[in-house]
Amino acid sequence: MKKFFTNLKINQKLIIMFFSISLILITTGFAALQLSFNIYEEQLYQKSAEFLILLSEMVDIRLNKIDQISFDILSSKEVQEYLAIVRHDDNSYNQYEVLNNFNKKMLTWFFDENYISSINIVDIKGNQYSWGRDTAKIDPKRLDFIRNQAIQREGGIVWIGPCRFDPFIIAARVVRSIPKLELENLGLVIIRIDPEKLFNNFSNRRLTSEYDLNFAILSPNGVIYQKNNHQFLFNELVYRMNKKMGYFIGNIQGEKYLITYVTSQWTSWKFVNLLPYSSIFKNIIVVHTILVLVYVGIFVLVIYLSLLFSSEITKPFRRLTNKMKMVEKGEFEKIAQMGVNIKRQGDEIAELEYNFHLMVDKINTLIKENYLKQIAIKESQFKALQAQINPHFLYNTLDSINWMARFNKQYQIASMVKALGSLLRNSISNKSEIITLKEEMKILEDYIIIQKYRYGERLSFSMDIPQDYWEYMIPKLSLQPIVENSIQYGLEKILGVCEIKVWIEPLEKGLKIWVEDNGPGMDKDFVEKLNKGEIEPRGSGIGIKNINERIKIMFGMDYGINVSSALGEGTKVCIFIPYKRGDEFV
């Protein structure tokens, strides 16, 4: 990861940095917003739970009182006597007296509590006796359901919620024979409770000053009470209420609610409060949406500014990089033109760019001065060499003339003298530094004429340069010194005939002139030093190093001389020059 980041460009690093900072800030903001949202949600839950706990305690007190009333009824002497008479079919006069006492006793229990709608007693034969504000008989099917539930509790009280055709909460328990502890089933005590009056003191309260109370009571068998007409997903809600108290967010009729619940210790009912999520958190949701839009806007703005900022910072660096590449190519004049309007004023980057242009200008000046000095030095060396033509060669030539004059005279002497005069005239008298290939060939031919008279049949020379290439320019005295080296290091060190060939190889970028001999050759190390210019010419002659440097100075570093040789295989020297005519050469 570190290596990856290191290899990135500066603008990419800046973008990543701005992106990371903005992402951290936005993430922190969202986390803080969510935290405050959760705190607010927890506070609502606490307030709702406090109310539900109070509600469940108050309801438990009333239900406990109903439980006590039902027990007092089933254990009273009058109820026990009358239901026992009915069970044993006793039609005596006492039955009517007991029934009268039974009615009087039931009226004494009715009714201090307004939420008790009626008290119903059902004897073993199914006869219903009812006292209270609503004395309607209970539907037989519902009565069978109540009886079965009560029997299962074996004397304990059972609580049954309202149904579609009976809006009352039912408290029921079996009446058993007590006097002789026979525990025979004598009938049922059923207390019908009005839910609206049972919860009247609480349903009118508000959970907060802002939101109406909206609660329900659930039993394991169904809905006991609900303030509003919600279609509960009963099984799903009860399944999620798996603790004594808690809260969660659920959907009822397609609307989201914050659902808080507590469990009654007396009845195990779930007291549930429902707060409409969209209403409670409306302001928070609006703020949340606005903040999301603001954060997204800030994020986009930060990315845009980071791109703009990084581009402005790295733009001078990119310019400097491009200019450095131009320096590498040697395009100093272009850089000088680009730096005309560069000013020192500005930040550190502007000062760096200004100093770079100063440095390039100084380097360019130094290169020009050094180049001109090198040209002057080479010219002086070349002119000195022109005036020095190898004394050994002159001595040998004069010796040859003397020998020929002594023994053969006439035409041969005249030919040698003529060749010598032409050679001296073209090489020394001609002050031009660069000549045509045709003129260079004439110097070489004059030199070969003289050498053939000296070595006779031991020297075999051939030159194959088509006339199409005669007008191309070459530094003066480029071929003659190389051929002279071939004679000196080739012919003089072998006993047989020394064959020297000069031929041309045209290429796309220039001409390759090859000078090849069949001499003894040179070892690999010597050839490498020769190509590197580490071998100095013997005496005062013009060496390969000198010719190579002149070609490079005149035509460029792509051109020059290369030597290839191996012991016993002769030597090949390649002179590479461009296609330059006299009118094209600058």
Side-chain angles (χ1 to χ4, degrees), residues 548-559:
N548 187 44
E549 289 178 351
R550 286 164 51 210
I551 292 174
K552 290 184 180 298
I553 290 172
M554 293 180 180
F555 299 125
M557 299 303 294
D558 293 335
Y559 303 95

Side-chain angles (χ1 to χ4, degrees), residues 68 159 207 230 269 335 458 531 571:
Q68 186 63 44
W159 303 94
L207 177 59
H230 293 299
W269 289 353
I335 298 175
R458 290 191 62 210
N531 283 322
T571 302

Side-chain angles (χ1 to χ4, degrees), residues 195-225:
E196 292 297 332
K197 293 180 179 179
L198 178 66
F199 305 114
N200 182 56
N201 293 335
F202 305 99
S203 60
N204 292 328
R205 294 187 180 184
R206 289 175 176 266
L207 177 59
T208 67
S209 59
E210 193 174 349
Y211 307 107
D212 289 333
L213 184 64
N214 188 10
F215 72 93
I217 300 174
L218 308 179
S219 74
N221 297 319
V223 178
I224 299 295
Y225 172 79

